Amino acid sequence: MSERSGVSVASVKYYLREGLLPPGVTVSARKAEYDEDHLRRLRLIRALLTVGGMSVAQARDVLAAAHDPAFDRHTRLGVAQYLLPPHVTAPPEETAEGAAWRERRTEVLALLRDDLGWQIHDEAPALDALTEALITLNSLGYETTTASLRDYAHALRPIAENELRLIDEHPAIDEAIEAVVAYTVLYEPVLLSLRRLAHEDVSARLHPPSST
């Protein structure tokens, strides 16, 4: 299994000890057999720890939810995404900063859920990250209006729909969660890089370099 996965024997044994990887079928006192399901799980473990930057405890929580029959597919994929960084800590509630933070968060949630009809959980970590980013922009004098947020949301929604369609092409839950991690973590630099390139293009068109 180590040879096929590229994961060292020491790491495989560590994942077995930590309960991330289920044991193989025992065939003798010092030998066990592993199958394709173990290889898929091993790939997922590496994605959670290496790409997703999760702790072993967080990865264990994701794996537990992935195979808990009490959870539907949406919840299983959501647990994985919710544990991916960044995680933002709100200012203390009793402070002025905390009150302003909660007010802005409520406004953003109302826009996305009530205005646009997005189905978003109250405790979504990305909502906290978005709130912090908007407050930081405003503190530097860059006003972020509801209309501008709506425009960004409309632009990003088709991208999310396409990615979820691709993720749903993986019916096996371990493969689907691995895809969630990849599209969330690895594709974010793609989106950011394309945005910067678009800035360059638009700027060149708005301010054409003078010909010499």
Side-chain angles (χ1 to χ4, degrees):
M1 182 164 64
S2 174
E3 291 178 358
R4 290 188 59 186
S5 66
V7 178
S8 69
V9 173
S11 294
V12 173
K13 290 181 177 180
Y14 174 69
Y15 300 151
L16 286 166
R17 288 197 304 271
E18 292 295 323
L20 300 178
L21 188 67
V25 178
T26 301
V27 294
S28 69
R30 301 183 62 183
K31 185 177 180 180
E33 290 184 347
Y34 299 89
D35 57 18
E36 295 297 325
D37 289 338
H38 287 91
L39 284 172
R40 279 194 293 268
R41 173 62 66 88
L42 196 53
R43 284 187 55 184
L44 175 56
I45 293 169
R46 296 296 287 177
L48 295 176
L49 298 179
T50 305
V51 178
M54 294 185 188
S55 66
V56 169
Q58 289 173 322
R60 189 182 295 112
D61 289 341
V62 172
L63 296 171
H67 296 278
D68 189 334
F71 295 138
D72 57 27
R73 184 178 174 91
H74 171 68
T75 302
R76 293 172 180 177
L77 299 180
V79 169
Q81 191 197 64
Y82 273 28
L83 287 175
L84 292 171
H87 295 101
V88 173
T89 301
E93 293 186 4
E94 63 274 10
T95 64
E97 292 80 4
W101 195 92
R102 291 195 307 278
E103 180 180 357
R104 191 59 195 271
R105 189 182 192 276
T106 300
E107 292 174 356
V108 173
L109 182 58
L111 165 67
L112 299 176
R113 190 160 61 187
D114 300 335
D115 187 358
L116 299 179
W118 288 14
Q119 300 181 47
I120 299 175
H121 196 281
D122 289 346
E123 304 303 321
L127 186 60
D128 295 333
L130 176 57
T131 299
E132 182 179 72
L134 295 175
I135 288 178
T136 301
L137 281 168
N138 288 345
S139 70
L140 296 174
Y142 298 101
E143 184 66 25
T144 53
T145 65
T146 299
S148 66
L149 279 182
R150 186 183 292 109
D151 290 341
Y152 276 110
H154 282 310
L156 289 169
R157 179 56 183 265
I159 296 175
E161 290 175 346
N162 181 64
E163 291 177 350
L164 264 295
R165 280 193 293 267
L166 294 174
I167 290 169
D168 278 346
E169 292 179 0
H170 301 278
I173 192 63
D174 281 5
E175 293 181 354
I177 292 176
E178 181 186 347
V180 167
V181 173
Y183 277 107
T184 302
V185 176
L186 299 180
Y187 266 79
E188 283 180 350
V190 174
L191 295 175
L192 292 176
S193 298
L194 284 172
R195 178 171 173 264
R196 292 190 184 192
L197 293 170
H199 282 168
E200 180 179 349
D201 173 67
V202 173
S203 177
R205 294 173 187 276
L206 289 174
H207 313 287
S210 57
S211 58
T212 57

